[in-house]
Amino acid sequence: MKNRRKTDLVRVRFAPSPTGYLHLGNARTALFNYIFARHEGGKLVLRIEDTDKERSKKEYEDMLIDDLKWLGIEWDEGPDVGGEYGPYRQSERTHIYNEYLEKLKQSGHVYKCYCTPEELEEERKKALAEGRPPRYSGKCRNLTEEERKELEEEGKSYVWRFRVPDGETIVFEDLIKGVVEINVNEFGDFVIVRSDGSPVYNFVVVVDDALMKISHVIRGEDHLSNTPKQILIYRALGFPEPKFAHLPIILGEDRSKLSKRHGAVSVRAFRDEGYVSEAMFNGLALLGWHPKRDSEVILKDEIIKEFDIRDIHNAPAVFDRAKLKWLNGVYIREILDLDDLTNRAIPFFKKFGYEADFDYYKKVMEAIRDSIEVLNDIKERAYPFFVDEYDFDEDAIAFIKENQNSLNVIKAFYEKVKETPALDKQTFKRLTKEIQKQLKVKGKQLFMPIRIALTGKTSGVDIATLVEIIGKDRVLKRLERAIDYLSKV
RNA sequence: GCCCCCGUCGUCUAGCCAGGCCUAGGACACCGGCCUUUCACGCCGGCGACACGGGUUCGAAUCCCGUCGGGGGCACCA
């Protein structure tokens, strides 16, 4: 890191609203903030934007924090860890907002507006019908003291609006989008404090970012058009402006902003399905960013090392479930250490009612890790290791019927196993070889009957591995049951 | 409607800023083959894109303009 003065320290923030589960889009925003902070040797602050009292819930905040931690995102300051610029929940900062509202009143940057929501709605409709941009007319902008007094005596409530300078063009350099120019006439005087006295997002976000010394505001592109409003407030309050970076948003398969209607899009849902956090981290980072060297699989530390915010692709990205799933499979079969993988898999085994001890789980994971992509696949793939009273599926029964020798193979195998002291892979190989000679069957004719007898299915894990893990006794029991059942079909 | 952002295989992207090294590279998906007692895994191969039009230039995916297309935003939500 170059020598940076303390005041130049990079400070970024992730500021979610606790109104639901952490979803993929927000998770990616958090991720890029985290990666950027770490790459620059700066700090990440977590701030809870709970000014919407209707929808904000503490449970959501807890889940947000839990999901963020799970993903591997760590913050230096936040409601749970504290920090010198707290409090980190907006609902606990109202006195601060009041203080800055006071400053804006003093400097004449804001004024009271007595228009009712109905009147505004009316105006909006009219503007739209006439093809004008639907913005506030400025009706209450220049009310005299007397007019105000009158309106207030009528018992009219008011909001505080920001006085937008007419015709000014705000220019800022976005780290991702480049130079962005927006004329303030696009939006007109906007509300800063509601009639119930609560401050609105565009106002609090500026106060908080400035007071928390945020150097780079990295957020979703849906905030791009809010930026000029915020810049106006920065200037009115005399705050230094941070640098902005607007991330292209994530789209669903239908090319609209990714949301609930695109199916499971919360981090929680992916967790529950058995995605591992490292794969999520990797996959999310790949949405809009790519390492210089040509590889899709890249660990957190390398991402942090290689990351450059200027390399973020500036077109929106369609979320590709299939690719994330594939990536998850790579982590399961190639990256994670077996003990670690097993520990993560245990809750899934239990969820499916597969009970055993760690060593057994570990053996099973070793046997199946190459054939699963998400931990939920354990249900199907590990079935033969846990269930002894399985059904025989259609294909299996069909095979037995079509291959008359099958039952003989199973019976022969049963006899051999019975006389064997223990059943490991080598023994299994030896026994099947003997049967091959005795009954003159080989290949599929030899192995499929045994597979069917032991699992009830025509496909699945390697049989030699299966018998070694479940052991002689269970093999014999399964064979007895299979012979009994298959003789009757 | 208005404003802003964006436009390379079906999808994620490399290349674009510093034009020739691009008959456009990789990955997922899909298709085919190999491996294998099965399904997977793995390996090999195939399919497949510079949105369109005009300029600038000896030369354009790369620079400029226009068109079209996609997305986002226009709240007393964040």
Side-chain angles (χ1 to χ4, degrees), chain A residues 20-40:
Chain A
Y21 288 110
L22 178 67
H23 88 85
L24 251 35
N26 289 141
R28 193 188 62 146
T29 301
L31 195 87
F32 280 128
N33 271 287
Y34 169 70
I35 294 168
F36 180 73
R38 285 288 175 275
H39 178 86
E40 298 292 331

Side-chain angles (χ1 to χ4, degrees), chain A residues 52 89 123 129 174 215 219 223 243 267 293 354 400 409 427 467:
Chain A
D52 184 345
R89 253 178 229 109
E123 264 188 42
D174 189 284
S215 62
R219 59 197 352 176
H223 288 286
K243 293 206 164 49
V267 168
R293 65 185 170 76
Y354 300 162
I400 299 293
V409 171
T427 312
V467 299

